[in-house]
Amino acid sequence: MTNAAEKTKAKWVPAFAGTTVRALAVAVALASTSFAAFAQDVLIRNATVHTAGTQGTLKNADVLVRNGVVQAVGTALAAPAAATVVEADGRPLTPAFFGGITEIGIEEVSGESSTVDAAVTLEDQPMRPEFDVTLAYNPASVVIPVARVEGIGFTLLAAATGGSFIAGQGGVMRLDGSADPVGPRALFVRLGGGASELSGKSRAAQWMLLDQMVAEARGRVPVDSPHALLTPAGRATLARYLAGNGRIVVAVNRAADIRQLLRWAQRENVRVAIAGGAEAWKLAPQLAQAKVPVFVDALADLPADFDQIGATLENAARLDAAGVGVGFSQAGDASHNARKIRQLAGNAVANGLPWEDGLAGLTRVPAETFGVGDRVGTIAPGKLADLVLWSGDPLDVAHTAQQVWLGGRAMPMRSRQTELRDRYLQQAGPLPRAYSK
């Protein structure tokens, strides 16, 4: 916790160093007055509204929120009598950001197994697509506010590979304290060299096993076959995805494996998305034609293994230029470092991705990909008021989220990390404030 607190301290202090007195006053007023338990009527006035939708960016615009939903976006909007009015003074307002494909809410401390519920390992029958990690989601997780104060409003909760390269199911979670996922479930599969230990030590065996599971789900293998890989529940679950009810999210990097994935998806008529895709740029036209979105780690630019020899910082820009839907997700400890998702988008923009498409990769693209685009991901009338007011360019980590609203409720801009920062922040005198008497 010490390192996390120190990083948060280092990030916050410079961020406010250049803030105007008026902006500070607004931030303090928001922090002290708008933590109502229920959705409020809010008028955010004179903002640079990045809608991430068809209206694009609107300068000097207002957003009116009624009963937790965006009612209007325009200029000179009138505030209802009981509405809270927020003067944005031209600062950016965006939809709440996508935190990536994470284990937020099902992993508290990665090194303590009793707090990690992301994977299942069953030696007698490891192929369990029916495994659903959303059943273990904890809306009171201390990891949630850490992500939320950084402008993150929703994440795709993922099943992690345990005993099988078919990891199980997850879903979209809004970080507003809700206990249940929104939208359809997603099935998580890992392919390539990183999953070969889970498939007979050969990536070719992954396709062999996957084809058998498809045959079982389609009823071509008897349920009581001694060679069956799936339980009856597993067959029913996989059959839903084969019928197009939900997205299959495939973690894969090597271009050759992506090519096989596209062939398989076309043959079986399933909807897939790619997570990682370090070499996806090599197949950009094919991905665009197949309408397969790719959630890239825009910082992957080194041949970290034999599956990503062709990694490049221009991956997102090349995919986008070909017409591929580009989103972002991190490798590594994505849950506890969800705030870094903005850095991924910013780096992609610095390497050729248009700014508006960088924003879309954190908002509209993931929302539409995972079946919740009718509720979140853009600022438009009828959408949930999941909004963030920023101190400056949200794709520049020098700036911060000053207020987050989820469903029209102003979220407390506090987390365990900010509380540690405030407790141990060095004050005048020899000891931090927490030790003074």
Side-chain angles (χ1 to χ4, degrees):
M1 283 296 181
T2 303
N3 289 340
E6 289 175 351
K7 289 180 181 178
T8 305
K9 173 183 172 182
K11 185 172 182 179
W12 273 71
V13 174
F16 282 101
T19 307
T20 66
V21 173
R22 183 174 183 183
L24 274 172
V26 170
V28 171
L30 285 168
S32 62
T33 64
S34 53
F35 298 147
F38 302 99
Q40 295 178 321
D41 291 347
V42 181
L43 177 63
I44 304 169
R45 195 153 53 192
N46 190 28
T48 300
V49 180
H50 299 286
T51 69
T54 55
Q55 288 186 284
T57 295
L58 306 173
K59 293 186 178 296
N60 304 314
D62 306 339
V63 175
L64 177 61
V65 176
R66 300 291 302 270
N67 299 318
V69 174
V70 175
Q71 186 178 66
V73 181
T75 57
L77 299 180
T84 299
V85 178
V86 178
E87 297 291 348
D89 295 328
R91 285 171 291 159
L93 184 76
T94 69
F97 281 179
F98 176 61
I101 302 170
T102 73
E103 297 165 12
I104 293 173
I106 56 172
E107 178 188 271
E108 292 294 325
V109 181
S110 57
E112 174 50 56
S113 60
S114 66
T115 72
V116 180
D117 295 300
V120 61
T121 302
L122 301 173
E123 294 182 2
D124 58 333
Q125 197 158 15
M127 307 294 186
R128 303 301 290 269
E130 66 268 37
F131 173 63
D132 184 351
V133 295
T134 66
L135 299 175
Y137 181 72
N138 176 20
S141 167
V142 298
V143 182
I144 291 173
V146 173
R148 192 170 57 205
V149 299
E150 302 286 350
I152 294 170
F154 69 111
T155 186
L156 180 64
L157 196 65
T161 48
S164 168
F165 67 96
I166 307 296
Q169 300 177 91
V172 173
M173 309 299 302
R174 292 177 64 235
L175 305 186
D176 64 341
S178 300
D180 300 312
V182 295
R185 298 292 194 274
L187 179 67
F188 293 87
V189 177
R190 186 178 180 186
L191 298 175
S196 63
E197 291 294 326
L198 304 174
S199 56
K201 298 185 178 181
S202 170
R203 73 185 74 219
Q206 294 162 11
W207 299 108
M208 176 187 73
L209 295 170
L210 191 56
D211 283 345
Q212 179 177 335
M213 284 185 276
V214 169
E216 291 183 26
R218 295 196 187 280
R220 298 196 294 268
V221 176
V223 175
D224 58 355
S225 169
H227 305 295
L229 296 173
L230 299 175
T231 66
R235 290 182 176 213
T237 297
L238 184 56
R240 290 200 301 271
Y241 291 96
L242 294 174
N245 299 320
R247 183 83 66 167
I248 300 177
V249 182
V250 184
V252 62
N253 281 309
R254 195 172 78 164
D257 297 328
I258 295 172
R259 184 178 294 107
Q260 294 298 336
L261 173 63
L262 290 175
R263 291 172 177 172
W264 178 82
Q266 182 179 27
R267 183 172 70 248
E268 302 297 343
N269 194 28
V270 295
R271 298 165 59 230
V272 300
I274 290 174
E279 293 189 349
W281 62 272
K282 294 184 178 182
L283 295 166
Q286 295 94 318
L287 288 163
Q289 183 177 11
K291 298 182 179 178
V292 173
V294 181
F295 289 79
V296 303
D297 183 343
L299 296 180
D301 68 330
L302 296 173
D305 55 49
F306 285 100
D307 280 15
Q308 45 188 330
I309 292 175
T312 171
L313 291 176
E314 296 181 358
N315 192 12
R318 295 178 187 180
L319 290 167
D320 181 77
V324 178
V326 176
F328 300 98
S329 193
Q330 300 180 66
D333 191 5
S335 302
H336 294 86
N337 292 291
R339 65 186 180 276
K340 294 182 180 178
I341 198 83
R342 290 196 296 135
Q343 184 179 3
L344 267 64
N347 274 266
V349 169
N351 285 277
L353 182 69
W355 191 96
E356 293 284 354
D357 293 340
L359 177 68
L362 294 173
T363 53
R364 186 185 72 251
V365 170
E368 292 179 348
T369 297
F370 302 119
V372 294
D374 59 331
R375 281 165 276 188
V376 299
T378 58
I379 301 176
K383 299 289 184 73
L384 288 172
D386 289 5
L387 309 168
V388 186
L389 184 65
W390 301 90
S391 64
D393 184 349
L395 303 191
D396 182 344
V397 295
H399 298 291
T400 59
Q402 294 190 315
Q403 184 58 58
V404 176
W405 292 267
L406 296 181
R409 289 185 295 135
M411 295 288 106
M413 300 303 287
R414 300 190 304 271
S415 70
R416 179 171 175 79
Q417 291 185 354
T418 66
E419 289 171 357
L420 286 168
R421 175 206 68 198
D422 294 342
R423 181 177 183 182
Y424 296 108
L425 187 65
Q426 183 70 47
Q427 302 294 307
L431 294 174
R433 183 177 63 231
Y435 293 105
S436 61
K437 296 182 180 179

